[in-house]
Amino acid sequence: MTASTTSPRKFLVIADGSGEFAAALRFACRRARSTGGTVAVLRVLAPAVFEHWSGVRGEIERQAREEALAELEPLAPLIRRETGQEPEFLLLQADDTRDALRRVISADRDIKILVLAAATGGRGPGPLVTSIAREGVRWGGRNLPVTVVPGDLSDAEIDDLA
């Protein structure tokens, strides 16, 4: 029997600025650690709408990418500590999160699980969770499992579950 050539399981989390993001990230990190996987964090960038001069639009897009990366970089030590692996930060310009997810999942077959956190405080699960629950995730010619983590789980509860 030969050694497996499959790549490590990659858990995808969306950095959306919500309070629930921390729960999704911690859960993904703990699952990655227990399965020898890695964590990818997707940050969706809104398209620049400045139409008059392409150079200005390019500069606005460059600044948006730099700002997004600066927001994600502080997560790297946490992800390294929790998983023992380097994080992967994905910055993608898209009209909406579903479009960005479709493109990322179709392009990267190593992504095996999408981890989302449900909204807290009686606001419902959130628009993305609702949409995926209704329509599923079948992009890139494959179904992708989705783990929905309650957004108000404590670190201890996540550690116990993951």
Side-chain angles (χ1 to χ4, degrees), residues 13-132:
V13 183
I14 301 166
D16 60 1
S18 71
E20 297 84 11
F21 166 67
L25 180 61
R26 182 162 178 88
F27 185 87
C29 286
R30 300 300 290 195
R31 289 294 301 144
R33 172 193 261 169
S34 66
T35 63
T38 62
V39 172
V41 180
L42 171 63
R43 172 63 185 247
V44 180
L45 307 172
V49 293
F50 197 85
E51 301 287 331
H52 299 292
W53 299 288
S54 63
V56 173
R57 184 178 64 233
E59 178 62 17
I60 291 170
E61 289 173 352
R62 184 191 65 74
Q63 286 179 359
R65 292 181 71 75
E66 284 181 5
E67 289 170 11
L69 193 55
E71 291 173 13
L72 295 177
E73 278 300 323
L75 301 173
L78 168 91
I79 295 170
R80 274 188 222 105
R81 183 177 63 248
E82 290 294 324
T83 66
Q85 304 288 329
E86 286 297 315
E88 181 177 354
F89 295 133
L90 307 168
L91 304 176
L92 189 62
Q93 195 172 51
D95 289 326
D96 60 49
T97 303
R98 277 190 70 86
D99 177 48
L101 278 172
R102 182 176 297 112
R103 289 168 40 201
V104 166
I105 291 167
S106 295
D108 189 345
R109 304 224 25 111
D110 291 339
I111 296 172
K112 305 294 187 202
I113 297 175
L114 172 62
V115 179
L116 302 173
T120 61
R123 298 177 286 150
L128 185 59
V129 172
T130 300
S131 171
I132 287 175

